[in-house]
Amino acid sequence: MDIELTHEAGAFINFRHYRFQDSGAHGRRWVDIKHLRLPAESVGSRKVLAALVGHEQFRDDYAGGGVDVEGSRHGPYWLSLVTPDVYESVGRERSAHVLREWANLLGDVPAELAADLQQEVFDRLAAADRVYCLSGLGDEAVHDWGRVHEYFHEYVLIDRSAGRITLVVAADD
């Protein structure tokens, strides 16, 4: 059975829009959050991941071009090589630790940014039933200009009680 996901409004948090003590501490980092509505029927996580990978909102190179329905890239990777099998189930605590460490890489983030990250990322992470991390694709999966990001973290949060999938991409440019 194929499932259909409906895109909902998301959020984009650009670290450059916050006042850091050191003007370069934003590190050109950002977080892109996309929400998709889960259908009411119960389906397994692998089918949910397959529906996400097949969704047009997934066709984003995260390098300024936005969603490209005809695109062949997803972040730094060739889209054709991103499958449900390359997502690893991870714990909420581990995911939060990685994202907090990345966010504070160049020093503590300003209070306003910390509050926005808490609301848009960490609260959703804490509420998720399942968390998956895109990992293990290897060098052969990186597309021709895919190394534009020094850091690229991607998490899929499945929250069945809210009926939502949240795709969190945290990177730099």
Side-chain angles (χ1 to χ4, degrees):
M1 164 181 77
D2 289 339
I3 63 171
E4 187 173 324
L5 304 174
T6 307
H7 181 245
E8 298 180 333
F12 186 81
I13 301 172
N14 189 332
F15 283 37
R16 285 179 271 193
H17 295 163
Y18 299 85
R19 176 169 278 165
F20 284 80
Q21 290 282 62
D22 173 0
S23 63
H26 59 72
R28 301 177 59 96
R29 288 170 288 166
W30 48 263
V31 181
D32 187 78
I33 301 121
K34 293 182 178 154
H35 302 295
L36 297 127
R37 175 74 40 205
L38 276 169
E41 68 268 9
S42 178
V43 294
S45 294
R46 288 291 163 199
K47 285 194 178 204
V48 170
L49 289 169
L52 173 64
V53 169
H55 198 277
E56 70 180 26
Q57 288 295 313
F58 196 76
R59 296 175 180 273
D60 194 331
D61 60 25
Y62 296 103
V67 173
D68 179 0
V69 177
E70 301 299 320
S72 60
R73 293 173 177 87
H74 174 75
Y77 306 110
W78 290 112
L79 181 64
S80 63
L81 299 177
V82 181
T83 66
D85 295 333
V86 298
Y87 283 89
E88 171 189 355
S89 179
V90 293
R92 292 185 298 266
E93 296 80 15
R94 176 178 159 205
S95 305
H97 175 76
V98 168
L99 290 170
R100 284 188 198 285
E101 193 172 84
W102 167 82
N104 292 298
L105 194 63
L106 300 175
D108 291 340
V109 299
E112 300 84 12
L113 174 55
D116 288 346
L117 289 170
Q118 185 64 45
Q119 178 182 338
E120 294 295 337
V121 177
F122 297 111
D123 287 350
R124 294 180 194 285
L125 184 58
D129 302 305
R130 299 294 304 242
V131 178
Y132 291 90
C133 177
L134 180 63
S135 62
L137 281 120
D139 286 340
E140 66 279 355
V142 177
H143 63 70
D144 48 350
W145 47 267
R147 300 212 188 274
V148 297
H149 305 294
E150 184 174 351
Y151 297 97
F152 187 87
H153 302 286
E154 179 175 314
Y155 292 93
V156 177
L157 317 178
I158 300 175
D159 184 345
R160 294 189 188 278
S161 65
R164 177 182 295 136
I165 300 171
T166 301
L167 177 62
V168 176
V169 172
D172 59 18
D173 58 20

